[in-house]
Structures are given as structure tokens and as C-alpha cells.
PDB file of all heavy atoms in Angstrom:
ATOM      1  N   THR M   1      94.561  23.060-166.383  1.00  0.00           N
ATOM      2  CA  THR M   1      94.423  23.727-165.062  1.00  0.00           C
ATOM      3  C   THR M   1      93.800  25.141-165.155  1.00  0.00           C
ATOM      4  O   THR M   1      93.017  25.556-164.449  1.00  0.00           O
ATOM      5  CB  THR M   1      95.873  23.862-164.373  1.00  0.00           C
ATOM      6  OG1 THR M   1      96.354  22.427-164.161  1.00  0.00           O
ATOM      7  CG2 THR M   1      95.693  24.426-163.013  1.00  0.00           C
ATOM      8  N   GLN M   2      94.290  25.779-166.233  1.00  0.00           N
ATOM      9  CA  GLN M   2      93.820  27.149-166.532  1.00  0.00           C
ATOM     10  C   GLN M   2      92.339  27.180-166.940  1.00  0.00           C
ATOM     11  O   GLN M   2      91.606  27.993-166.450  1.00  0.00           O
ATOM     12  CB  GLN M   2      94.744  27.875-167.610  1.00  0.00           C
ATOM     13  CG  GLN M   2      96.030  28.198-167.200  1.00  0.00           C
ATOM     14  CD  GLN M   2      96.868  28.801-168.334  1.00  0.00           C
ATOM     15  OE1 GLN M   2      96.475  28.757-169.444  1.00  0.00           O
ATOM     16  NE2 GLN M   2      97.998  29.315-168.070  1.00  0.00           N
ATOM     17  N   LEU M   3      92.052  26.236-167.801  1.00  0.00           N
ATOM     18  CA  LEU M   3      90.597  26.071-168.119  1.00  0.00           C
ATOM     19  C   LEU M   3      89.691  25.735-167.056  1.00  0.00           C
ATOM     20  O   LEU M   3      88.540  26.218-166.906  1.00  0.00           O
ATOM     21  CB  LEU M   3      90.468  25.083-169.244  1.00  0.00           C
ATOM     22  CG  LEU M   3      91.076  25.561-170.652  1.00  0.00           C
ATOM     23  CD1 LEU M   3      91.105  24.359-171.681  1.00  0.00           C
ATOM     24  CD2 LEU M   3      90.428  26.729-171.151  1.00  0.00           C
ATOM     25  N   LYS M   4      90.181  24.788-166.080  1.00  0.00           N
ATOM     26  CA  LYS M   4      89.314  24.511-164.866  1.00  0.00           C
ATOM     27  C   LYS M   4      89.156  25.709-164.080  1.00  0.00           C
ATOM     28  O   LYS M   4      88.039  25.943-163.520  1.00  0.00           O
ATOM     29  CB  LYS M   4      90.047  23.370-164.114  1.00  0.00           C
ATOM     30  CG  LYS M   4      89.950  21.961-164.657  1.00  0.00           C
ATOM     31  CD  LYS M   4      90.632  21.023-163.774  1.00  0.00           C
ATOM     32  CE  LYS M   4      90.522  19.617-164.380  1.00  0.00           C
ATOM     33  NZ  LYS M   4      91.183  18.650-163.441  1.00  0.00           N
ATOM     34  N   PHE M   5      90.190  26.534-163.889  1.00  0.00           N
ATOM     35  CA  PHE M   5      90.034  27.803-163.161  1.00  0.00           C
ATOM     36  C   PHE M   5      88.994  28.711-163.757  1.00  0.00           C
ATOM     37  O   PHE M   5      88.242  29.242-163.104  1.00  0.00           O
ATOM     38  CB  PHE M   5      91.442  28.518-163.039  1.00  0.00           C
ATOM     39  CG  PHE M   5      91.392  29.785-162.290  1.00  0.00           C
ATOM     40  CD1 PHE M   5      91.297  29.774-160.900  1.00  0.00           C
ATOM     41  CD2 PHE M   5      91.404  30.999-162.915  1.00  0.00           C
ATOM     42  CE1 PHE M   5      91.284  31.000-160.237  1.00  0.00           C
ATOM     43  CE2 PHE M   5      91.337  32.193-162.266  1.00  0.00           C
ATOM     44  CZ  PHE M   5      91.284  32.238-160.898  1.00  0.00           C
ATOM     45  N   GLN M   6      89.012  28.884-165.068  1.00  0.00           N
ATOM     46  CA  GLN M   6      88.050  29.706-165.814  1.00  0.00           C
ATOM     47  C   GLN M   6      86.643  29.106-165.530  1.00  0.00           C
ATOM     48  O   GLN M   6      85.752  29.928-165.369  1.00  0.00           O
ATOM     49  CB  GLN M   6      88.366  29.806-167.236  1.00  0.00           C
ATOM     50  CG  GLN M   6      89.536  30.607-167.586  1.00  0.00           C
ATOM     51  CD  GLN M   6      89.800  30.701-169.084  1.00  0.00           C
ATOM     52  OE1 GLN M   6      89.258  29.975-169.898  1.00  0.00           O
ATOM     53  NE2 GLN M   6      90.830  31.681-169.495  1.00  0.00           N
ATOM     54  N   VAL M   7      86.488  27.859-165.766  1.00  0.00           N
ATOM     55  CA  VAL M   7      85.096  27.278-165.486  1.00  0.00           C
ATOM     56  C   VAL M   7      84.576  27.557-164.144  1.00  0.00           C
ATOM     57  O   VAL M   7      83.545  27.900-163.934  1.00  0.00           O
ATOM     58  CB  VAL M   7      85.118  25.748-165.749  1.00  0.00           C
ATOM     59  CG1 VAL M   7      83.850  25.113-165.339  1.00  0.00           C
ATOM     60  CG2 VAL M   7      85.402  25.505-167.309  1.00  0.00           C
ATOM     61  N   GLU M   8      85.454  27.317-163.064  1.00  0.00           N
ATOM     62  CA  GLU M   8      85.073  27.689-161.720  1.00  0.00           C
ATOM     63  C   GLU M   8      84.622  29.207-161.526  1.00  0.00           C
ATOM     64  O   GLU M   8      83.705  29.451-160.875  1.00  0.00           O
ATOM     65  CB  GLU M   8      86.134  27.214-160.822  1.00  0.00           C
ATOM     66  CG  GLU M   8      86.435  25.770-160.655  1.00  0.00           C
ATOM     67  CD  GLU M   8      85.163  25.079-160.191  1.00  0.00           C
ATOM     68  OE1 GLU M   8      84.473  25.548-159.246  1.00  0.00           O
ATOM     69  OE2 GLU M   8      84.856  23.941-160.609  1.00  0.00           O
ATOM     70  N   TYR M   9      85.455  29.954-162.155  1.00  0.00           N
ATOM     71  CA  TYR M   9      85.164  31.397-162.078  1.00  0.00           C
ATOM     72  C   TYR M   9      83.780  31.697-162.658  1.00  0.00           C
ATOM     73  O   TYR M   9      82.928  32.455-162.147  1.00  0.00           O
ATOM     74  CB  TYR M   9      86.251  32.231-162.806  1.00  0.00           C
ATOM     75  CG  TYR M   9      85.960  33.653-162.950  1.00  0.00           C
ATOM     76  CD1 TYR M   9      86.095  34.545-161.820  1.00  0.00           C
ATOM     77  CD2 TYR M   9      85.589  34.325-164.154  1.00  0.00           C
ATOM     78  CE1 TYR M   9      85.786  35.851-161.998  1.00  0.00           C
ATOM     79  CE2 TYR M   9      85.244  35.549-164.320  1.00  0.00           C
ATOM     80  CZ  TYR M   9      85.392  36.412-163.195  1.00  0.00           C
ATOM     81  OH  TYR M   9      85.143  37.763-163.214  1.00  0.00           O
ATOM     82  N   TYR M  10      83.467  31.247-163.785  1.00  0.00           N
ATOM     83  CA  TYR M  10      82.147  31.451-164.520  1.00  0.00           C
ATOM     84  C   TYR M  10      81.056  30.744-163.807  1.00  0.00           C
ATOM     85  O   TYR M  10      79.940  31.318-163.751  1.00  0.00           O
ATOM     86  CB  TYR M  10      82.268  30.988-166.021  1.00  0.00           C
ATOM     87  CG  TYR M  10      83.166  32.021-166.821  1.00  0.00           C
ATOM     88  CD1 TYR M  10      84.222  31.460-167.510  1.00  0.00           C
ATOM     89  CD2 TYR M  10      82.909  33.314-166.871  1.00  0.00           C
ATOM     90  CE1 TYR M  10      85.013  32.308-168.328  1.00  0.00           C
ATOM     91  CE2 TYR M  10      83.681  34.184-167.613  1.00  0.00           C
ATOM     92  CZ  TYR M  10      84.725  33.679-168.348  1.00  0.00           C
ATOM     93  OH  TYR M  10      85.491  34.554-169.006  1.00  0.00           O
ATOM     94  N   LYS M  11      81.321  29.698-163.165  1.00  0.00           N
ATOM     95  CA  LYS M  11      80.317  28.949-162.313  1.00  0.00           C
ATOM     96  C   LYS M  11      79.965  29.927-161.187  1.00  0.00           C
ATOM     97  O   LYS M  11      78.794  30.085-160.762  1.00  0.00           O
ATOM     98  CB  LYS M  11      80.751  27.611-161.738  1.00  0.00           C
ATOM     99  CG  LYS M  11      80.666  26.516-162.786  1.00  0.00           C
ATOM    100  CD  LYS M  11      81.047  25.270-162.093  1.00  0.00           C
ATOM    101  CE  LYS M  11      80.946  24.053-162.983  1.00  0.00           C
ATOM    102  NZ  LYS M  11      81.416  22.832-162.449  1.00  0.00           N
ATOM    103  N   ARG M  12      80.996  30.532-160.527  1.00  0.00           N
ATOM    104  CA  ARG M  12      80.758  31.410-159.406  1.00  0.00           C
ATOM    105  C   ARG M  12      79.887  32.614-159.875  1.00  0.00           C
ATOM    106  O   ARG M  12      79.047  33.148-159.112  1.00  0.00           O
ATOM    107  CB  ARG M  12      82.044  31.811-158.762  1.00  0.00           C
ATOM    108  CG  ARG M  12      82.670  30.784-157.832  1.00  0.00           C
ATOM    109  CD  ARG M  12      83.819  31.340-156.960  1.00  0.00           C
ATOM    110  NE  ARG M  12      84.855  31.982-157.779  1.00  0.00           N
ATOM    111  CZ  ARG M  12      85.977  31.358-158.283  1.00  0.00           C
ATOM    112  NH1 ARG M  12      86.011  30.115-158.057  1.00  0.00           N
ATOM    113  NH2 ARG M  12      86.873  32.014-158.965  1.00  0.00           N
ATOM    114  N   LEU M  13      80.251  33.116-161.089  1.00  0.00           N
ATOM    115  CA  LEU M  13      79.539  34.260-161.602  1.00  0.00           C
ATOM    116  C   LEU M  13      78.072  33.923-161.856  1.00  0.00           C
ATOM    117  O   LEU M  13      77.182  34.751-161.516  1.00  0.00           O
ATOM    118  CB  LEU M  13      80.171  34.873-162.918  1.00  0.00           C
ATOM    119  CG  LEU M  13      81.334  35.644-162.826  1.00  0.00           C
ATOM    120  CD1 LEU M  13      81.827  36.069-164.168  1.00  0.00           C
ATOM    121  CD2 LEU M  13      81.077  36.921-162.040  1.00  0.00           C
ATOM    122  N   ALA M  14      77.846  32.770-162.450  1.00  0.00           N
ATOM    123  CA  ALA M  14      76.474  32.384-162.735  1.00  0.00           C
ATOM    124  C   ALA M  14      75.655  31.932-161.574  1.00  0.00           C
ATOM    125  O   ALA M  14      74.522  32.306-161.454  1.00  0.00           O
ATOM    126  CB  ALA M  14      76.516  31.299-163.863  1.00  0.00           C
ATOM    127  N   PHE M  15      76.236  31.093-160.805  1.00  0.00           N
ATOM    128  CA  PHE M  15      75.440  30.442-159.697  1.00  0.00           C
ATOM    129  C   PHE M  15      75.879  30.954-158.290  1.00  0.00           C
ATOM    130  O   PHE M  15      75.197  30.510-157.294  1.00  0.00           O
ATOM    131  CB  PHE M  15      75.602  28.993-159.780  1.00  0.00           C
ATOM    132  CG  PHE M  15      75.414  28.424-161.119  1.00  0.00           C
ATOM    133  CD1 PHE M  15      76.373  27.874-161.966  1.00  0.00           C
ATOM    134  CD2 PHE M  15      74.057  28.465-161.568  1.00  0.00           C
ATOM    135  CE1 PHE M  15      75.909  27.333-163.208  1.00  0.00           C
ATOM    136  CE2 PHE M  15      73.714  27.944-162.773  1.00  0.00           C
ATOM    137  CZ  PHE M  15      74.624  27.343-163.561  1.00  0.00           C
ATOM    138  N   GLY M  16      76.841  31.754-158.122  1.00  0.00           N
ATOM    139  CA  GLY M  16      77.356  32.170-156.804  1.00  0.00           C
ATOM    140  C   GLY M  16      76.373  33.249-156.171  1.00  0.00           C
ATOM    141  O   GLY M  16      75.383  33.637-156.804  1.00  0.00           O
ATOM    142  N   GLN M  17      76.530  33.438-154.874  1.00  0.00           N
ATOM    143  CA  GLN M  17      75.760  34.381-154.153  1.00  0.00           C
ATOM    144  C   GLN M  17      75.924  35.714-154.724  1.00  0.00           C
ATOM    145  O   GLN M  17      77.040  36.310-155.009  1.00  0.00           O
ATOM    146  CB  GLN M  17      76.256  34.316-152.690  1.00  0.00           C
ATOM    147  CG  GLN M  17      75.339  35.079-151.743  1.00  0.00           C
ATOM    148  CD  GLN M  17      75.758  34.934-150.321  1.00  0.00           C
ATOM    149  OE1 GLN M  17      76.880  34.663-150.039  1.00  0.00           O
ATOM    150  NE2 GLN M  17      74.809  35.282-149.418  1.00  0.00           N
ATOM    151  N   LYS M  18      74.789  36.504-154.858  1.00  0.00           N
ATOM    152  CA  LYS M  18      74.744  37.739-155.414  1.00  0.00           C
ATOM    153  C   LYS M  18      74.245  38.756-154.454  1.00  0.00           C
ATOM    154  O   LYS M  18      73.123  38.530-153.943  1.00  0.00           O
ATOM    155  CB  LYS M  18      74.044  37.858-156.756  1.00  0.00           C
ATOM    156  CG  LYS M  18      74.578  37.027-157.835  1.00  0.00           C
ATOM    157  CD  LYS M  18      73.714  36.948-159.094  1.00  0.00           C
ATOM    158  CE  LYS M  18      74.235  36.181-160.189  1.00  0.00           C
ATOM    159  NZ  LYS M  18      74.359  34.745-159.825  1.00  0.00           N
ATOM    160  N   ARG M  19      74.847  39.737-154.099  1.00  0.00           N
ATOM    161  CA  ARG M  19      74.360  40.849-153.220  1.00  0.00           C
ATOM    162  C   ARG M  19      74.953  42.194-153.616  1.00  0.00           C
ATOM    163  O   ARG M  19      76.070  42.202-154.019  1.00  0.00           O
ATOM    164  CB  ARG M  19      74.596  40.498-151.809  1.00  0.00           C
ATOM    165  CG  ARG M  19      76.019  40.430-151.340  1.00  0.00           C
ATOM    166  CD  ARG M  19      76.164  40.213-149.889  1.00  0.00           C
ATOM    167  NE  ARG M  19      76.652  38.914-149.637  1.00  0.00           N
ATOM    168  CZ  ARG M  19      77.325  38.529-148.637  1.00  0.00           C
ATOM    169  NH1 ARG M  19      77.619  39.429-147.710  1.00  0.00           N
ATOM    170  NH2 ARG M  19      77.762  37.358-148.449  1.00  0.00           N
ATOM    171  N   GLU M  20      74.159  43.170-153.615  1.00  0.00           N
ATOM    172  CA  GLU M  20      74.669  44.413-153.860  1.00  0.00           C
ATOM    173  C   GLU M  20      74.748  45.273-152.615  1.00  0.00           C
ATOM    174  O   GLU M  20      73.676  45.411-151.852  1.00  0.00           O
ATOM    175  CB  GLU M  20      73.812  45.145-154.876  1.00  0.00           C
ATOM    176  CG  GLU M  20      73.854  44.478-156.321  1.00  0.00           C
ATOM    177  CD  GLU M  20      73.006  45.349-157.291  1.00  0.00           C
ATOM    178  OE1 GLU M  20      72.761  46.437-157.028  1.00  0.00           O
ATOM    179  OE2 GLU M  20      72.626  44.709-158.274  1.00  0.00           O
ATOM    180  N   ARG M  21      75.798  45.826-152.339  1.00  0.00           N
ATOM    181  CA  ARG M  21      75.940  46.674-151.252  1.00  0.00           C
ATOM    182  C   ARG M  21      76.313  48.098-151.698  1.00  0.00           C
ATOM    183  O   ARG M  21      77.280  48.314-152.499  1.00  0.00           O
ATOM    184  CB  ARG M  21      76.988  46.151-150.190  1.00  0.00           C
ATOM    185  CG  ARG M  21      76.621  44.958-149.395  1.00  0.00           C
ATOM    186  CD  ARG M  21      77.584  44.708-148.495  1.00  0.00           C
ATOM    187  NE  ARG M  21      77.202  43.511-147.762  1.00  0.00           N
ATOM    188  CZ  ARG M  21      77.843  42.894-146.776  1.00  0.00           C
ATOM    189  NH1 ARG M  21      79.001  43.469-146.384  1.00  0.00           N
ATOM    190  NH2 ARG M  21      77.442  41.854-146.118  1.00  0.00           N
ATOM    191  N   PHE M  22      75.601  49.067-151.204  1.00  0.00           N
ATOM    192  CA  PHE M  22      75.981  50.366-151.569  1.00  0.00           C
ATOM    193  C   PHE M  22      76.040  51.164-150.292  1.00  0.00           C
ATOM    194  O   PHE M  22      75.050  51.381-149.532  1.00  0.00           O
ATOM    195  CB  PHE M  22      75.026  51.064-152.504  1.00  0.00           C
ATOM    196  CG  PHE M  22      75.260  52.505-152.923  1.00  0.00           C
ATOM    197  CD1 PHE M  22      76.320  52.769-153.713  1.00  0.00           C
ATOM    198  CD2 PHE M  22      74.626  53.520-152.246  1.00  0.00           C
ATOM    199  CE1 PHE M  22      76.738  54.051-154.031  1.00  0.00           C
ATOM    200  CE2 PHE M  22      74.989  54.823-152.576  1.00  0.00           C
ATOM    201  CZ  PHE M  22      76.033  55.127-153.349  1.00  0.00           C
ATOM    202  N   GLU M  23      77.171  51.676-150.049  1.00  0.00           N
ATOM    203  CA  GLU M  23      77.337  52.594-148.708  1.00  0.00           C
ATOM    204  C   GLU M  23      77.758  53.907-149.345  1.00  0.00           C
ATOM    205  O   GLU M  23      78.818  54.169-149.951  1.00  0.00           O
ATOM    206  CB  GLU M  23      78.464  51.965-147.934  1.00  0.00           C
ATOM    207  CG  GLU M  23      78.140  50.640-147.355  1.00  0.00           C
ATOM    208  CD  GLU M  23      79.232  50.089-146.522  1.00  0.00           C
ATOM    209  OE1 GLU M  23      80.277  50.773-146.203  1.00  0.00           O
ATOM    210  OE2 GLU M  23      79.208  48.866-146.159  1.00  0.00           O
ATOM    211  N   GLY M  24      76.766  54.790-149.248  1.00  0.00           N
ATOM    212  CA  GLY M  24      76.975  56.166-149.771  1.00  0.00           C
ATOM    213  C   GLY M  24      78.025  56.924-149.003  1.00  0.00           C
ATOM    214  O   GLY M  24      78.418  56.665-147.810  1.00  0.00           O
ATOM    215  N   ASP M  25      78.557  57.916-149.631  1.00  0.00           N
ATOM    216  CA  ASP M  25      79.549  58.729-148.986  1.00  0.00           C
ATOM    217  C   ASP M  25      78.840  59.748-148.067  1.00  0.00           C
ATOM    218  O   ASP M  25      77.962  60.524-148.436  1.00  0.00           O
ATOM    219  CB  ASP M  25      80.320  59.616-150.056  1.00  0.00           C
ATOM    220  CG  ASP M  25      81.491  60.368-149.568  1.00  0.00           C
ATOM    221  OD1 ASP M  25      81.718  60.229-148.299  1.00  0.00           O
ATOM    222  OD2 ASP M  25      82.113  61.083-150.222  1.00  0.00           O
ATOM    223  N   LYS M  26      79.204  59.703-146.755  1.00  0.00           N
ATOM    224  CA  LYS M  26      78.529  60.519-145.765  1.00  0.00           C
ATOM    225  C   LYS M  26      78.834  62.077-146.010  1.00  0.00           C
ATOM    226  O   LYS M  26      78.021  62.848-145.561  1.00  0.00           O
ATOM    227  CB  LYS M  26      79.040  60.186-144.362  1.00  0.00           C
ATOM    228  CG  LYS M  26      78.660  58.804-143.999  1.00  0.00           C
ATOM    229  CD  LYS M  26      79.193  58.407-142.683  1.00  0.00           C
ATOM    230  CE  LYS M  26      78.898  56.958-142.309  1.00  0.00           C
ATOM    231  NZ  LYS M  26      79.468  56.497-141.037  1.00  0.00           N
ATOM    232  N   ASP M  27      79.866  62.385-146.685  1.00  0.00           N
ATOM    233  CA  ASP M  27      80.249  63.778-146.898  1.00  0.00           C
ATOM    234  C   ASP M  27      79.416  64.379-148.093  1.00  0.00           C
ATOM    235  O   ASP M  27      79.564  65.578-148.360  1.00  0.00           O
ATOM    236  CB  ASP M  27      81.604  63.933-147.182  1.00  0.00           C
ATOM    237  CG  ASP M  27      82.475  63.636-145.934  1.00  0.00           C
ATOM    238  OD1 ASP M  27      81.942  63.809-144.775  1.00  0.00           O
ATOM    239  OD2 ASP M  27      83.675  63.107-146.016  1.00  0.00           O
ATOM    240  N   GLN M  28      78.840  63.513-148.951  1.00  0.00           N
ATOM    241  CA  GLN M  28      78.153  63.990-150.118  1.00  0.00           C
ATOM    242  C   GLN M  28      76.905  64.642-149.707  1.00  0.00           C
ATOM    243  O   GLN M  28      76.127  64.160-148.838  1.00  0.00           O
ATOM    244  CB  GLN M  28      77.755  62.796-151.013  1.00  0.00           C
ATOM    245  CG  GLN M  28      77.228  63.210-152.333  1.00  0.00           C
ATOM    246  CD  GLN M  28      76.947  61.992-153.304  1.00  0.00           C
ATOM    247  OE1 GLN M  28      77.297  60.900-152.878  1.00  0.00           O
ATOM    248  NE2 GLN M  28      76.497  62.248-154.376  1.00  0.00           N
ATOM    249  N   MET M  29      76.560  65.752-150.351  1.00  0.00           N
ATOM    250  CA  MET M  29      75.344  66.505-150.160  1.00  0.00           C
ATOM    251  C   MET M  29      74.158  65.665-150.636  1.00  0.00           C
ATOM    252  O   MET M  29      74.203  65.051-151.684  1.00  0.00           O
ATOM    253  CB  MET M  29      75.302  67.855-150.736  1.00  0.00           C
ATOM    254  CG  MET M  29      76.400  68.743-150.185  1.00  0.00           C
ATOM    255  SD  MET M  29      76.417  70.337-151.112  1.00  0.00           S
ATOM    256  CE  MET M  29      74.759  70.877-150.882  1.00  0.00           C
TER     257      MET M  29
END
């Protein structure tokens, strides 16, 4: 069960949706 969970985790890392979101701090100069 633990190994299946790890495989699913690595599948999500390799093939999952990837998006980067960066929301800057409004108070930063």
C-alpha cells in the first residue's frame, strides 16, 4: 500500500498538471 501511494505521488509529479502562480506582495517596493 505504501509503495502504491509513492508510485501515484511520483506519477502526479511527472505527468500531473503543472502551473506556476506567483502573486507578488503588494506592499513590496
Side-chain angles (χ1 to χ4, degrees):
T1 303
Q2 290 175 351
L3 291 174
K4 282 182 181 179
F5 178 78
Q6 285 180 351
V7 167
E8 290 300 319
Y9 172 76
Y10 289 122
K11 279 183 181 178
R12 283 193 303 272
L13 278 180
F15 304 113
Q17 186 177 23
K18 295 172 181 67
R19 62 176 112 153
E20 292 185 20
R21 289 188 180 180
F22 178 75
E23 296 177 10
D25 187 8
K26 294 177 183 176
D27 296 330
Q28 184 177 1
M29 294 178 56

